[in-house]
Amino acid sequence: MNHYYLLGRSGLRVSRLALGTMNFGTGGWHAAYGKTEAESEPIFRRYVESGGNFIDTADFYTAGESERILGRLIARAGNRDRLVLTSKYTNSVDPSDPNASGNGRKHMIRAVEASLRRLGTDHLDLYLLHTWDRITPVEEVVRTFDDLVRAGKIRYAGLSDVPAWYAARAQSYAEAHALTPMVTLQLPYGLTMRDVEHEYAPMAQNLGIGLTAWSPLGGGILTGKYQRTGQGVVGEGRLGDPGAAAPKIDDNTWRIVGALEEVAEGLGRPMAQVALNWVVTQPGVASAVAGASSEKQLAGNLAALDFEIPADARRRLDEASAPRTPQLYSMFTPEYQAMVVSPGLSIGDKPAGYAPPVLNGAGS
């Protein structure tokens, strides 16, 4: 975990695996799978002692408990300055107040102040809009982010779960007015959720936004802990709970799981490690947010960075998980362009080796 890369077009250096803390605490929506502070502490300590520095939470997680627990864990560890502490805002903290939710300036300022109090810190290293509310002008969001940076409340800004056009508009507006840019866009991405590749990945690469993948293990389905039987899905977790409101697993997903199982067996690695390795090495991806229910599970996740997936194995995973290409996007594929746009020619944007990666330190 001692390899760090810049997040988007910024100087912020982050671990390739971020620690997701949605399950730190036992309140709110996540109570059934939440962890007490005593259970959360060894997970947190193992992550930071392994060199991890990218911590992800939100005011909404476990009804604010996640932030409170993190604040106490960081205070005990005495490592606040070493961390890239990230939180998010959007969801309601008071259903009776229309301005206590959404993306607007009033709620954003209120939310960041509350998060700072719960976390016991005077600033956040990264602050994200959690979910697009469909109505707040993007200009208001960008300008408020900029105000918070100037006030010293946050260091960097980003987005989560917004349309690609919205992220592009936010970044372009920030650039045009010399305001705080968006350095990351957090999205669900993994072998079972690859639709972001059509629009988001090229947008992020072109506009200097680093993608951060959440749910890279597909809610646990890519860990191999679930099996399909005649009675349905069995396994320890919410997908295997008949009474839980969990998403159904379709035949296509099971095909992906089968391919992943074969590749993992061939590499001598757990399925979860291969799935994490795949997503974190996809184009445009800066980091992946991986939670853990135990220190042992976290240690397994961290080992996902210790190997490379061979080309033939990656090809097997790519083919098994290939997303359906919408008709319009099929016109942008290399195959279509070679057949219609530039038949008989080989045209690229830059020759190989035009911009080699810059690596500082060991391994460079």
Side-chain angles (χ1 to χ4, degrees):
M1 281 286 285
N2 291 319
H3 293 272
Y4 308 91
Y5 291 89
L6 300 182
L7 187 58
R9 192 179 295 143
S10 79
L12 186 62
R13 303 159 189 195
V14 300
S15 306
R16 303 215 74 188
L17 284 182
L19 178 63
T21 63
M22 188 172 68
N23 65 338
F24 281 22
T26 56
W29 285 16
H30 314 97
Y33 305 99
K35 299 297 176 182
T36 65
E37 185 168 335
E39 293 171 321
S40 301
E41 185 160 20
I43 298 172
F44 170 81
R45 286 191 172 276
R46 179 61 177 265
Y47 177 77
V48 296
E49 288 170 2
S50 299
N53 76 337
F54 199 4
I55 308 289
D56 181 87
T57 187
D59 60 0
F60 182 64
Y61 293 164
T62 55
E65 269 193 72
S66 175
E67 289 184 329
R68 294 188 189 95
I69 289 173
L70 266 177
R72 292 190 290 267
L73 295 180
I74 292 169
R76 287 201 289 272
N79 60 355
R80 172 65 188 90
D81 288 342
R82 298 182 63 88
L83 302 178
V84 177
L85 185 56
T86 306
S87 195
K88 303 182 280 290
Y89 87 100
T90 292
N91 298 310
S92 178
V93 295
D94 181 359
S96 69
D97 182 355
N99 283 305
S101 65
N103 302 151
R105 173 183 290 266
K106 182 175 175 64
H107 180 53
M108 189 194 296
I109 294 174
R110 173 180 178 171
V112 75
E113 294 286 1
S115 286
L116 293 177
R117 287 194 297 272
R118 285 190 290 267
L119 287 161
T121 185
D122 63 356
H123 73 281
L124 287 166
D125 299 292
L126 177 61
Y127 197 45
L128 307 182
L129 177 155
H130 202 159
T131 308
W132 182 46
D133 69 3
R134 305 194 303 155
I135 52 178
T136 302
V138 68
E139 297 85 355
E140 180 176 333
V141 171
V142 174
R143 286 197 173 275
T144 308
F145 273 141
D146 189 70
D147 289 344
L148 291 177
V149 170
R150 292 174 187 274
K153 301 293 185 180
I154 68 174
R155 299 294 188 257
Y156 295 89
L159 305 168
S160 170
D161 300 339
V162 302
W165 67 261
Y166 185 96
R169 170 66 177 163
Q171 191 73 324
S172 299
Y173 184 81
E175 290 177 347
H177 295 85
L179 301 173
T180 296
M182 306 300 105
V183 300
T184 191
L185 174 56
Q186 195 174 109
L187 298 167
Y189 187 25
L191 282 165
T192 58
M193 298 176 290
R194 292 182 57 186
D195 288 345
V196 303
E197 295 174 12
H198 297 309
E199 190 81 48
Y200 290 94
M203 179 275 297
Q205 288 174 300
N206 278 277
L207 296 182
I209 302 173
L211 294 181
T212 306
W214 66 262
S215 196
L217 297 178
I221 186 63
L222 297 176
T223 65
K225 66 180 180 181
Y226 297 108
Q227 301 294 325
R228 180 163 56 172
T229 69
Q231 288 71 46
V233 179
V234 297
E236 295 183 6
R238 64 189 182 93
L239 298 182
D241 182 356
K248 301 300 181 184
I249 304 175
D250 59 22
D251 290 341
N252 184 60
T253 299
W254 284 118
R255 283 194 293 272
I256 296 170
V257 171
L260 176 61
E261 187 174 18
E262 292 175 8
V263 168
E265 184 176 347
L267 296 177
R269 291 278 180 171
M271 291 170 61
Q273 289 184 12
V274 176
L276 282 173
N277 186 298
W278 180 91
V279 72
V280 85
T281 53
Q282 285 294 100
V285 174
S287 186
V289 180
S293 59
S294 67
E295 184 180 2
K296 180 181 178 181
Q297 185 182 62
L298 175 65
N301 290 345
L302 297 179
L305 304 176
D306 295 343
F307 65 99
E308 292 185 7
I309 301 176
D312 58 339
R314 180 175 285 274
R315 191 178 308 111
R316 173 78 174 97
L317 294 174
D318 290 346
E319 291 173 351
S321 62
R324 178 181 173 274
T325 303
Q327 184 174 357
L328 175 61
Y329 290 91
S330 67
M331 298 168 65
F332 312 145
T333 62
E335 294 77 16
Y336 180 93
Q337 300 262 325
M339 180 177 65
V340 178
V341 178
S342 302
L345 300 174
S346 178
I347 300 175
D349 62 338
K350 300 292 187 299
Y354 177 85
V358 177
L359 297 173
N360 296 326
S364 61

